[in-house]
Amino acid sequence: MKKVDVLLGLQWGDEGKGKIVDVLTPKYDMVARFQGGPNAGHTLEFNSEKYVLRSIPSGIFQGNKINVIGNGVVLDPLLFKEESEALAKSGHNIIERLVISRKAHLIMPTHRLLDAANEKAKGGAKIGTTGKGIGPTYTDKVSRNGLRVGDIEHNFAEKYEKAKARHMSTLKALDFPIEDNGIEVKWFEAVEYLKQFKFVDSEFLVNNALVGGKSVLAEGAQGSLLDIDFGSYPFVTSSNTVCAGCCTGLGVAPKNIGEVYGIFKAYCTRVGAGPFPTELFDETGDRMCNIGHEFGSVTGRKRRCGWIDLVALRYTCMLNGVTKLIMMKSDVLDTFKTIKVCVAYDIDGEETREFPFELNEKVKPVYIELPGWEQKLSGLREEDQLPQNFKNYIKFIEKELGIPVYIVSVGPDREETIIRH
């Protein structure tokens, strides 16, 4: 029996998971998303084309793979329809390649309104959600009031109206204005579109594939520091983004997890509100942002930038049981003479290497400095071509984390990837 390999982000999301899934998928028979919703934005670039996937697994470009939207995902039919139609226009027949779990929850139009209403009610303490209704959908799931993909097959209109009435009552209590903008009609058209796809009991599909000797790659969304339990709460997402989320989001037993690929950037970014100990507010941070084109692939929001944080990375490597590291966007640091690495936190004069209960203004990064490589990486294709100072940077990270760096990305294209041996 095969095991499921898991690929996930180790920082605050936007690590470059989409590209790496696409690089790794040739050796897998099945690629499955196990949590999150259309707030994900996995960008892939190849053959001079750029694609942004929000709900659809990144293995969709490999013609002979089965792609699964698992039960842990929340799905907006409207955004899903837009995404799939855009892929269809570019010549990718996803109806044959994609299946959807009956147990995945549906994002309703009123979930978006609830998202906006909740953020408005928080005022200055708002979290900075993407406004796509993901939090309220997971809230309904946990409170046992959710609407699932499988419900489309049984008394759907009745279940929808019941859920909608409950939402409207909440919106009225929050005194949130409700306008008829025609979204509901389009949403139901998108539900009809969804019916073209095969709805499956994905837990059986995945486990039967493993028993049959098929190889499965589970693709995470967002990043481990946004995990609902272990992230920088309350500035987190609404699902379990760590490896354990694969078990609940696909129905895979813990003993059936194989390799865990942990993806991180050579520096650090964050979108929206929330603590960020190594954030840079100077020209260096702006340089990182501009060179790295650090703007959200779904929201377009500017990402906050800072030096790499090994305290946070040690923590997420531990939580996920990472077996292989993958470093992205190394080329963004090509022009920096000196590179700083956060190795510990100073909290009220005491130094710690452990991630604290709460990241607040008392948490100060403790840096060591390493010499930059000051050489263009993007044209390199072999490990022995890498500059010595870059190799030293990798070696330092491996020593601190105790895990090998398996892949180094030196540019956005599929070809700009070095697998280390």
Side-chain angles (χ1 to χ4, degrees), residues 95-131:
I95 292 172
E96 293 176 2
R97 302 177 193 170
L98 180 70
V99 298
I100 303 169
S101 172
R102 288 189 176 91
K103 293 184 176 70
H105 281 245
L106 292 168
I107 301 173
M108 297 168 55
T110 40
H111 281 131
R112 286 200 199 191
L113 295 175
L114 287 167
D115 210 346
N118 290 335
E119 280 287 86
K120 185 183 175 187
K122 285 187 176 83
K126 66 182 181 180
I127 290 168
T129 76
T130 57

Side-chain angles (χ1 to χ4, degrees), residues 181-195:
N181 52 10
I183 288 286
E184 189 176 56
V185 173
K186 290 179 182 174
W187 191 85
F188 271 99
E189 287 171 3
V191 169
E192 287 302 310
Y193 177 85
L194 207 59
K195 291 178 182 177

Side-chain angles (χ1 to χ4, degrees), residues 177-353:
I178 301 162
E179 296 174 14
D180 184 6
N181 52 10
I183 288 286
E184 189 176 56
V185 173
K186 290 179 182 174
W187 191 85
F188 271 99
E189 287 171 3
V191 169
E192 287 302 310
Y193 177 85
L194 207 59
K195 291 178 182 177
Q196 298 175 86
F197 292 85
K198 188 177 180 184
F199 300 162
V200 298
D201 296 315
S202 54
E203 61 273 37
F204 288 106
L205 182 75
V206 172
N207 281 289
N208 288 340
L210 296 176
V211 171
K214 301 286 187 186
S215 52
V216 180
L217 181 66
E219 176 185 11
Q222 289 85 47
S224 299
L225 293 172
L226 294 173
D227 184 88
I228 186 68
D229 284 296
F230 299 104
S232 50
Y233 194 88
F235 300 95
V236 291
T237 193
S238 303
S239 60
N240 284 115
T241 59
V242 294
C243 189
C246 173
C247 297
T248 55
L250 287 178
V252 175
K255 69 174 184 176
N256 292 331
I257 299 292
E259 297 281 7
V260 180
Y261 298 100
I263 305 187
F264 67 101
K265 280 177 179 165
Y267 50 105
C268 208
T269 63
R270 179 162 198 167
V271 172
F276 182 179
T278 63
E279 183 174 7
L280 296 167
F281 300 95
D282 56 10
E283 182 268 339
T284 303
D286 289 339
R287 258 175 82 195
M288 279 182 192
C289 182
N290 293 327
I291 297 169
H293 307 293
E294 292 295 356
F295 300 91
S297 51
V298 170
T299 61
R301 289 187 292 182
K302 182 180 177 180
R303 295 181 187 134
R304 300 150 64 192
C305 294
W307 296 114
I308 197 167
D309 184 340
L310 295 189
V311 179
L313 275 178
R314 272 187 226 108
Y315 178 63
T316 54
C317 284
M318 173 190 77
L319 292 174
N320 290 302
V322 173
T323 58
K324 289 180 178 177
L325 290 166
I326 298 171
M327 185 159 77
M328 307 299 292
K329 301 190 90 163
S330 314
D331 53 304
V332 173
L333 301 182
D334 284 354
T335 59
F336 290 83
K337 188 175 182 180
T338 301
I339 292 169
K340 291 186 178 182
V341 179
C342 171
V343 292
Y345 292 155
D346 182 309
I347 304 174
D348 288 331
E350 286 194 26
E351 208 168 284
T352 180
R353 287 163 62 89

